[in-house]
Amino acid sequence: MCLKGENISFGYKKNSLVLNNISISLDRGEVLGLIGDSGSGKSTLCKILAGYENNYEGKVSLDGKGIPSKGYNPVQLIFQHPEKAVNPKWKMKDILNEGHNVPQEILDSFGIKKGWLNRWPNELSGGELQRFALARALGPETKFLIADEMTTMLDAITQAQIWGTVLGIVEEKNIGVLVVSHEKNLIKRLCHDTIYLKDINNV
Ligand SMILES: Nc1ncnc2c1ncn2[C@@H]1O[C@H](COP(=O)(O)OP(=O)(O)OP(=O)(O)O)[C@@H](O)[C@H]1O
């Protein structure tokens, strides 16, 4: 199975492109790095690949078919700020199990403690919250994970722990991962291959 973006062009404003004719392809089981200057459109490309942004030119496909607009999204996007991805009025256990019942072994692998389940999102640290976001995103129907600066705000130890867990799970489940980061060493350590996005407004 392959997640493809073909000849993607996109601008937030008319006559001002952020992405110009970008093509990218990610296989299941592959860990691909995406680097580029600030403002070059990495997050925008992530949103397009995960189906969050529809107003683009070109084609995004999963094995030749469009990303399903209803039901569970097999392309899961994880952002830098997990607090923006959760409903602040829900307890963590409800947020966690919204799409499917997350197995105990996944909770254990991310070090999610029982006591955290009864808390509200604002009662957890960024790293704790990101563990929940990942446990939820790596569901049985997930085929691709798009990690947009997902550990940027964390200390080095937490970053290594979280990536260690994620890499174990994606390998076992044969999930493809796009790793967006400005940390070249992290990309080098994690990824099989890397692509570079140029800022088209800065060349
Ligand atoms: N919702 C939006 N409305 C208008 N312009 C936007 C919006 N989101 C991003 N942009 C602009 O689009 C360009 C690309 O932004 P994007 O966040 O995709 O870049 P990036 O490569 O991820 O940057 P960074 O590495 O700094 O996070 C930037 O110039 C940004 O200001």
Side-chain angles (χ1 to χ4, degrees):
M1 184 178 264
C2 187
L3 173 64
K4 267 191 180 164
E6 291 168 277
N7 308 107
I8 305 288
S9 296
F10 176 83
Y12 289 97
K13 285 178 272 170
K14 254 194 178 165
N15 304 324
S16 167
L17 286 179
V18 172
L19 300 170
N20 187 11
N21 205 20
I22 299 294
S23 294
I24 183 169
S25 170
L26 180 63
D27 281 324
R28 285 198 73 178
E30 183 182 2
V31 182
L32 179 66
L34 175 63
I35 55 174
D37 303 325
S38 178
S40 58
K42 302 179 296 297
S43 295
T44 304
L45 183 60
C46 289
K47 284 191 257 174
I48 290 173
L49 290 173
Y52 280 60
E53 187 66 67
N54 293 314
N55 219 356
Y56 59 88
E57 271 177 46
K59 189 176 163 193
V60 175
S61 62
L62 255 186
D63 266 357
K65 296 185 201 121
I67 311 280
S69 55
K70 279 186 194 154
Y72 192 85
N73 188 348
V75 183
Q76 288 284 309
L77 177 59
I78 297 284
F79 307 94
Q80 180 176 352
H81 299 289
E83 65 280 4
K84 289 186 187 159
V86 297
N87 186 335
K89 294 181 180 156
W90 284 18
K91 286 216 167 158
M92 290 316 300
K93 60 181 173 205
D94 301 318
I95 290 170
L96 184 70
N97 295 313
E98 186 184 3
H100 68 288
N101 271 325
V102 178
Q104 187 61 41
E105 90 187 61
I106 296 276
L107 299 185
D108 292 341
S109 66
F110 277 110
I112 292 175
K113 302 202 176 99
K114 249 204 176 98
W116 297 353
L117 295 170
N118 270 321
R119 293 197 198 166
W120 305 100
N122 68 359
E123 295 172 335
L124 291 172
S125 73
E128 289 162 356
L129 215 47
Q130 200 62 299
R131 290 165 201 262
F132 274 96
L134 281 160
R136 182 174 72 163
L138 292 167
E141 292 173 60
T142 298
K143 309 285 189 279
F144 293 94
L145 181 74
I146 301 193
D148 186 4
E149 301 277 9
M150 80 172 188
T151 53
T152 299
M153 79 304 193
L154 305 176
D155 62 84
I157 292 173
T158 310
Q159 184 181 77
Q161 270 176 355
I162 288 185
W163 271 113
T165 304
V166 169
L167 288 186
I169 296 172
V170 298
E171 193 176 72
E172 188 192 315
K173 295 180 183 254
N174 200 26
I175 290 172
V177 190
L178 184 65
V179 185
V180 180
S181 177
H182 64 270
E183 291 177 63
K184 290 200 177 122
N185 284 337
L186 180 77
I187 295 265
K188 226 190 217 167
R189 210 168 65 233
L190 301 176
C191 301
H192 308 145
D193 218 341
T194 308
I195 54 176
Y196 182 82
L197 198 59
K198 262 195 193 149
D199 185 347
I200 54 171
N201 296 306
N202 218 355
V203 284

